Amino acid sequence: MVGIRQASLYYHFAGKDEILGELLRRSVRPTTDKVEKILSQVPPLDYETALYLLVLVDVRTLADVPHNVGMLYQLPDVARCEVYDEFRNEHAELAAHYADLASEVASKTVRATISRTQLGALLIQQVEGVINMRTEDPDRRIPCREAWAIAATCLRICDVPQERIDAAAPIAIDLLPQFMDERVAEPV
């Protein structure tokens, strides 16, 4: 499946849990590695565009990670085993970045209704819907229009006015290839 012998694999990893932990980190790390680059663009980017771009990068990461390993983090063993702490920490870091950006764009009503942490968790759950889409159809590609819809929905959850979403979308879409490696930069 990965093109190396089992003995070679276990030379690099102590066991199956470590292999799974590394696979799970690969579903989060590409996005967390790009967050600082996205945030360094603010300004001149506004926070709506930065959040839209973060969602697009995250959707692409989840859509392109081999074998849809993102779904595995919901397994009970992953929640209990300390081998997965690094993955859980990276996932929490990503949720915090969502919360940071969302708190900058959310309306007063949204901020009064839901905590910052809950808002970040809600947005990351929206993005992770890609995992379920891939689970239902493992060969399914996520078309651009669906990635854009997920990004727009995240901004709507924050109660961002439609005209601000419409202004953010083309800028974020144009910037996306700069944030993706060559292999992933093709249309979703």
Side-chain angles (χ1 to χ4, degrees):
M1 178 162 97
V2 293
I4 63 173
R5 294 174 169 249
Q6 184 175 356
S8 298
L9 193 60
Y10 284 110
Y11 175 78
H12 297 284
F13 298 98
K16 291 177 184 178
D17 285 330
E18 282 192 19
I19 295 168
L20 178 57
E22 178 57 27
L23 290 172
L24 286 168
R25 285 190 296 279
R26 289 181 183 200
S27 72
V28 176
R29 190 179 308 126
T31 302
T32 57
D33 287 349
K34 292 174 180 86
V35 170
E36 289 305 317
K37 184 177 178 183
I38 292 170
L39 295 176
S40 74
Q41 302 291 316
V42 178
L45 289 184
D46 56 38
Y47 286 104
E48 290 91 352
T49 305
L51 180 56
Y52 198 107
L53 181 57
L54 174 59
V55 172
L56 291 180
V57 167
D58 203 9
V59 166
R60 291 297 302 266
T61 299
L62 292 171
D64 292 342
V65 70
H67 311 295
N68 198 22
V69 296
M71 67 182 220
L72 300 175
Y73 92 90
Q74 299 168 346
L75 296 173
D77 290 347
V78 173
R80 292 189 299 260
C81 186
E82 67 185 44
V83 172
Y84 306 114
D85 284 349
E86 189 175 341
F87 162 74
R88 284 193 298 272
N89 291 338
E90 287 188 41
H91 191 268
E93 177 186 344
L94 183 57
H97 288 299
Y98 273 103
D100 290 344
L101 286 171
S103 67
E104 293 291 339
V105 302
S107 69
K108 288 180 182 179
T109 304
V110 170
R111 290 192 312 264
T113 307
I114 188 169
S115 77
R116 190 177 165 285
T117 303
Q118 290 170 324
L119 183 55
L122 185 60
L123 296 185
I124 204 167
Q125 286 173 350
Q126 180 67 37
V127 172
E128 288 174 348
V130 170
I131 295 167
N132 294 331
M133 290 177 194
R134 290 187 65 197
T135 300
E136 293 166 7
D137 182 359
D139 297 323
R140 185 175 192 270
R141 298 278 297 158
I142 307 300
C144 290
R145 68 182 183 286
E146 288 183 19
W148 302 338
I150 292 167
T153 299
C154 286
L155 271 68
R156 285 187 194 101
I157 289 169
C158 295
D159 200 25
V160 172
Q162 187 62 45
E163 61 272 5
R164 303 270 314 171
I165 297 170
D166 293 343
I171 298 167
I173 291 164
D174 285 347
L175 287 172
L176 181 62
Q178 296 175 36
F179 290 85
M180 304 309 293
D181 45 300
E182 298 272 330
R183 177 187 61 80
V184 179
E186 299 163 15
V188 196

